[in-house]
Amino acid sequence: MPTDALGAVRHRGARTGRPPAMSDVAALAGVSHQTVSRVLNDHPSVRPETRSRVLEAIATLGYRRNLAARALVTRRTGSIGVVTPGSALFGPTSTLVALEQAARDSGRYVSVATLRSFGPDEVVPAVEHFLAQGVDGIVVVAPRTDTVAALGSVQAPVPVVVVSSAPDLVGAGAVAVDQEAGARAATEHLLASGRRTVVHVAGPDEWFDARDRLRGWRAALDAAGVPVPPPLPAGWSAADGDVIGRRLVEEGVPDAVFAANDQLALGLLHAFRRAGVRVPDDVAVVGFDDEPGSAFAAPPLTTVRQGFEELGAHAVRVLVDALGGAEPTRELIAPELVVRESAP
């Protein structure tokens, strides 16, 4: 790159006391302002050698796009607001990480509001906060019934996508993992291994995922024509699973247990191991989520894997499509049964 051109651009920047502008990049690369814009927007019409020259000028000058100026022109900030539970549970946390990565892959970034509760008094201010920031759209991670109820009081002039399997969402795009299909697959796998029936340790009823997994478990048993034991209600923690496991040891260990998440399943394994109950010889155990430690349980846990990366990518794509004028859509992501030693 000619040193005289570089010197002239640097001198102009030093004289005005401003950071490098797109016009400086154009001058240094010897191209038009429009060509620089095409390179920045990854337009296919730019010749490779021209693109290389513009990128070199950008790196040399340390040019950064002025997002505020861009927003004034395009009326888009390139940002997405994400409303999510303030929870350390694996599902919501993994969903948030997947959304952030998918947004970055699409050239956008996220602003996050984690809520202590999901009543209208928290959901509405969070949405209003994002609208004041000028976000292009909003994604709401809505795993609970109260979350969806609170969304009924939200009026947003930008596209809204809800990560939830709630059946009564109106006017918003929705993306979810097919929890019911995953539960059916887990239950059918246990029955196919010769178990007479399957006991279900259910998650909290106010969670849509727990309801869907319960429904899938029951549908599989009904389809097979086998007895449907009463579900055992629990929370989401390993401690809850341990309590249920000790109860099953006292009352009679069943052929098989399908737990609503991996933490419950790990608690069951702990209780069974402590009581001398052999898994899978005496009882087979299947979880749901495929948390990172599940493969290292004793024995390694058979579980249902949720495709969180795919979930995040679909949610962002539905939002981007809505920004382009498409009608809101509902999409279900297929889960995957991962067979390990707890239920071979």
Side-chain angles (χ1 to χ4, degrees), residues 169-194:
L169 294 169
V170 178
V175 180
V177 173
D178 193 338
Q179 309 289 332
E180 188 172 341
R184 283 200 310 271
T187 308
E188 289 166 356
H189 172 74
L190 288 166
L191 294 174
S193 69

Side-chain angles (χ1 to χ4, degrees), residues 190-198 226 254-256 280-284 342-344:
L190 288 166
L191 294 174
S193 69
R195 311 287 168 164
R196 288 169 296 181
T197 191
V198 180
V226 300
D255 273 358
D281 297 341
D282 300 325
V283 55
S342 71

Side-chain angles (χ1 to χ4, degrees), residues 109-179:
Y109 59 93
V110 301
S111 181
V112 180
T114 57
L115 307 186
R116 291 182 297 271
S117 68
F118 257 103
D121 56 334
E122 288 216 26
V123 173
V124 174
V127 171
E128 292 295 338
H129 170 72
F130 286 139
L131 295 177
Q133 287 184 338
V135 297
D136 296 339
I138 298 172
V139 177
V140 182
V141 181
R144 295 165 45 117
T145 53
D146 54 358
T147 317
V148 173
L151 286 174
S153 58
V154 170
Q155 299 293 326
V158 298
V160 175
V161 173
V162 184
V163 180
S164 177
S165 60
D168 51 357
L169 294 169
V170 178
V175 180
V177 173
D178 193 338
Q179 309 289 332

Side-chain angles (χ1 to χ4, degrees), residues 89-91 236 261-263 266 288-295 303-304 340:
L89 289 171
F90 180 73
W236 289 122
N261 76 344
D262 285 351
Q263 287 297 312
L266 293 175
F288 205 110
D289 280 339
D290 195 27
E291 293 190 18
S294 298
T303 185
V304 178
R340 301 193 181 103

Side-chain angles (χ1 to χ4, degrees), residues 220-297:
L221 295 183
D222 286 340
V226 300
V228 181
L232 305 176
W236 289 122
S237 73
D240 293 326
D242 180 67
V243 170
I244 296 290
R246 284 188 277 120
R247 174 181 158 189
L248 290 173
V249 169
E250 292 174 0
E251 297 178 357
V253 176
D255 273 358
V257 182
F258 165 49
N261 76 344
D262 285 351
Q263 287 297 312
L264 288 169
L266 293 175
L268 289 166
L269 293 179
H270 176 73
F272 292 155
R273 183 171 60 253
R274 190 172 52 195
V277 176
R278 299 169 302 167
V279 178
D281 297 341
D282 300 325
V283 55
V285 177
V286 175
F288 205 110
D289 280 339
D290 195 27
E291 293 190 18
S294 298
F296 302 96

